[in-house]
Amino acid sequence: MKNSMIVILCCLALATQAQQHHFIEIKKTDPFHTIVAKAASVTPSARQLRWQQLELTAFFHFGINTFTNREWGDGKEDISQFNPTQLDAEQWVKTVKDAGFKQVIITAKHHDGFCLWPSRFTEHSIKNTPYKNGHGDIVKEVAEACRKLDVGFGVYLSPWDRNAPSYGTEAYNTYFVNQLTELLTQYGKVDEVWFDGANGEGPNGKKQVYDFDRWYALIRKLQPQAVIAVQGPDVRWVGTESGVGRETEWSVLPVSEQSQEKIAAASQQEVNVIPGVLGSYKDQDRGSRDKLVNASGLVWYPAETDVSIRPGWFYHPAEDAKVKSDKRLMDIYFTSVGRNGVLLLNIPPNTQGLIAEADRKSLQGFATQMKTTFRQNLAKTAKLQAANGKNLNSLFDGKLQTYFTTTTKDTTTTIQLNWTKPVTFNVLALQENIAVGQRIEKFEAEYFDGVSWKVFATGTTVGYKRLLKFNELTTSQIRFHILSSRLNPTLAEFGLYFLKP
């Protein structure tokens, strides 16, 4: 009994220690340098780290809105219209996988309350449509396609339900838990559960008080590996549906940023605001030093950047000529993944149940551009030196767990690259080993033009990945300066690439 108690106590201590890496308390007596050191020590959970390394995830908005040609249904639709006669979930998943996407999310239920699986708890579902004579289950078809093609699988279940009679009462939370249980127990492994904070009126004219804590507990119990986004504790919404993230994007934030009320207040409002362009998007800097001072604690809370490949989120025939080009998708990659986020790109299937040809061609072009651009790291051919650094060779090994860092307690450093022949590039790529924290606060890169050194790139945060584009330049010498870091910097990857115009 005594030995068992020792084991239990040790396990509890280890669990507490592990939890403290993802959340660290700030005491009122902590001096500023201690707060900064604590911020540098906050790390992602295993589920958050896996999610960040996906880089590219896809949304499939599909439902009764696809057939009514609407964006938001009212829950009163005639669901007999729903009959995608050529539906091929494997075509959906293969299309995005071939473009480099590693995970998908299906809209199991949108605000209209229509369910893409035969839920036992409502008649407003696929079981009462002509699709497969009422025996269809599109959630199952997508889940099976993901398993077959080795792609992550996630579900979106709208908290707002404009059809459920119980919406606006406590009974609705139980209804929601029942449906969530179906999705988490009938379709194998679920890698992401996606909520938004949309909270309008239901059919009885009432609004609902969501029991998010109960929902989170259920997910942790049934699918503990799943990240909960973006009204959730694991992943936050970047705050815009433009595909443009912040240029200063911290994954370590004050714990108050996880407030459900704060998230809900911003959900689905002014969704096309580009950060920094319009005055209503004011939280450009959410994790820098001056934001940490009055925090009660710090938490790892990374950003997901969502956008649709079309103007709308559901398929509309009038938008076939308005699909974002492969060049535009490349730009979005730089402003989402390249700004320490994960891109969630919506590709809505059409009324036939297929990804439309225009969308497929754009994705194929994007995949080609990605392969062409990042095939050759020109920095690999240079000779490197850093007076106060170590592990320089780790910058090119493709492994985030190995990294360049400084000797002693230096928080600044310079890496110089020299080539025997001039090279031409227009992209700088940086990655930190976020498994041990996010630390770099400011950096600068300059090249030698034969006469003097000139700056060609500057930035603040790096995080999982930072990508910067600039006018192409040709040189045989560059210097990369880390100008500020929380504790020793941990630079895992360094790349110079050429993006064709």
Side-chain angles (χ1 to χ4, degrees):
M1 180 69 179
K2 183 178 180 181
N3 289 338
S4 298
M5 183 60 68
I6 291 172
V7 170
I8 291 170
L9 290 173
C10 287
C11 289
L12 287 172
L14 287 171
T16 302
Q17 183 180 17
Q19 184 180 16
Q20 287 176 341
H21 286 299
H22 319 313
F23 165 77
I24 294 181
E25 181 184 4
I26 301 296
K27 299 177 182 178
K28 291 183 179 180
T29 56
D30 283 341
F32 187 62
H33 69 270
T34 298
I35 295 175
V36 173
K38 285 184 174 182
S41 303
V42 180
T43 59
S45 65
R47 67 175 73 90
Q48 288 172 318
L49 184 60
R50 174 200 169 272
W51 171 86
Q52 188 86 53
Q53 292 175 315
L54 294 171
E55 291 198 4
L56 299 172
T57 56
F59 225 152
F60 294 138
H61 271 65
F62 188 67
I64 190 62
N65 291 346
T66 309
F67 294 83
T68 60
N69 201 24
R70 298 177 68 182
E71 279 290 287
W72 283 13
D74 58 14
K76 300 175 183 177
E77 295 81 11
D78 176 8
I79 62 174
S80 67
Q81 302 172 77
F82 186 87
N83 191 20
T85 56
Q86 299 179 47
L87 190 140
D88 185 351
E90 193 170 319
Q91 185 247 13
W92 303 3
V93 178
K94 187 176 186 305
T95 295
V96 299
K97 180 179 180 178
D98 288 348
F101 289 73
K102 297 180 175 63
Q103 188 162 294
V104 306
I105 298 172
I106 177 67
T107 53
K109 182 189 79 168
H110 204 253
H111 307 328
D112 50 75
F114 177 71
C115 300
L116 289 182
W117 80 101
S119 175
R120 294 188 294 112
F121 301 98
T122 182
E123 297 305 304
H124 201 58
S125 85
I126 199 170
K127 66 186 178 185
N128 290 316
T129 71
Y131 181 64
K132 294 190 174 180
N133 296 315
H135 298 290
D137 187 340
I138 292 173
V139 174
K140 181 180 179 181
E141 292 185 54
V142 173
E144 289 178 345
C146 287
R147 279 195 295 274
K148 179 178 180 180
L149 296 172
D150 192 25
V151 170
F153 170 68
V155 293
Y156 162 68
L157 189 65
S158 170
W160 186 19
D161 193 314
R162 305 182 74 181
N163 177 268
S166 63
Y167 188 86
T169 71
E170 183 53 36
Y172 177 76
N173 282 317
T174 298
Y175 171 79
F176 194 90
V177 163
N178 289 336
Q179 290 201 319
L180 189 57
T181 301
E182 288 181 318
L183 293 173
L184 299 179
T185 58
Q186 297 177 176
Y187 301 103
K189 183 181 178 184
V190 176
D191 298 293
E192 184 167 346
V193 180
W194 206 95
F195 300 131
D196 53 39
N199 189 343
E201 294 182 355
N204 56 14
K206 296 180 180 179
K207 288 189 176 182
Q208 180 70 35
V209 177
Y210 299 140
D211 193 352
F212 280 111
D213 291 338
R214 184 180 173 191
W215 305 350
Y216 298 162
L218 181 70
I219 298 166
R220 290 289 193 249
K221 177 183 177 182
L222 299 178
Q223 296 283 352
Q225 75 290 332
V227 295
I228 307 174
V230 289
Q231 171 90 15
D234 297 318
V235 175
R236 63 186 161 88
W237 180 43
V238 75
T240 171
E241 292 180 355
S242 64
V244 180
R246 298 173 185 81
E247 293 199 38
T248 296
E249 188 63 79
W250 286 102
S251 295
V252 178
L253 301 182
V255 70
S256 60
E257 294 292 340
Q258 281 188 321
S259 160
Q260 292 166 359
E261 292 79 8
K262 185 169 184 175
I263 299 168
S267 183
Q268 298 208 358
Q269 297 182 34
E270 300 182 278
V271 293
N272 291 315
V273 173
I274 298 175
V277 176
L278 297 180
S280 57
Y281 197 100
K282 297 177 181 178
D283 57 348
Q284 280 302 289
D285 177 5
R286 300 177 71 173
S288 292
R289 294 189 181 211
D290 62 342
K291 303 292 183 181
L292 309 179
V293 178
N294 297 317
S296 60
L298 302 175
V299 65
W300 191 274
Y301 202 30
E304 183 175 73
T305 309
D306 60 333
V307 67
S308 183
I309 198 169
R310 290 164 171 258
W313 286 78
F314 285 89
Y315 175 82
H316 306 293
E319 294 179 356
D320 282 345
K322 299 178 182 179
V323 174
K324 290 179 175 62
S325 67
D326 54 356
K327 181 183 182 300
R328 180 73 188 104
L329 293 182
M330 196 68 175
D331 290 339
I332 288 171
Y333 178 77
F334 273 76
T335 58
S336 56
V337 178
R339 292 184 179 176
N340 191 34
V342 168
L343 173 61
L344 177 60
L345 179 68
N346 178 60
I347 304 105
N350 62 21
T351 53
Q352 295 174 296
L354 300 170
I355 303 297
E357 188 62 20
D359 307 61
R360 289 181 66 247
K361 286 184 177 179
S362 184
L363 289 167
Q364 288 169 354
F366 168 69
T368 298
Q369 282 199 60
M370 287 285 289
K371 291 174 184 176
T372 301
T373 301
F374 296 108
R375 180 183 296 131
Q376 181 184 11
N377 184 357
L378 298 166
K380 278 188 175 183
T381 61
K383 181 180 179 181
L384 277 66
Q385 61 187 68
N388 63 336
K390 56 184 179 180
N391 304 330
L392 278 165
N393 290 336
S394 67
L395 292 174
F396 309 126
D397 64 6
K399 300 176 182 178
L400 286 181
Q401 65 269 31
T402 60
Y403 54 90
F404 164 85
T405 190
T406 52
T407 54
T408 65
K409 295 183 179 181
D410 288 351
T411 57
T412 63
T413 189
T414 295
I415 302 170
Q416 183 157 335
L417 291 80
N418 300 292
W419 290 266
T420 55
K421 295 180 180 180
V423 293
T424 300
F425 52 88
N426 57 6
V427 171
L428 171 65
L430 306 167
Q431 289 190 266
E432 285 184 80
N433 177 18
I434 60 170
V436 298
Q438 185 183 1
R439 301 186 176 186
I440 296 175
E441 297 175 302
K442 189 176 182 181
F443 64 86
E444 178 182 272
E446 53 184 357
Y447 73 101
F448 190 67
D449 68 356
V451 179
S452 60
W453 289 94
K454 295 183 178 179
V455 174
F456 67 87
T458 61
T460 51
T461 48
V462 174
Y464 170 75
K465 181 170 283 188
R466 188 63 192 270
L467 297 170
L468 291 164
K469 289 189 290 185
F470 40 85
N471 293 331
E472 69 178 71
L473 59 90
T474 300
T475 186
S476 57
Q477 285 182 288
I478 74 163
R479 295 190 302 210
F480 177 73
H481 308 285
I482 295 177
L483 302 173
S484 179
S485 177
R486 299 172 177 178
L487 303 183
N488 300 67
T490 60
L491 190 63
E493 293 292 308
F494 184 95
L496 294 168
Y497 301 94
F498 184 73
L499 173 66
K500 291 183 178 180

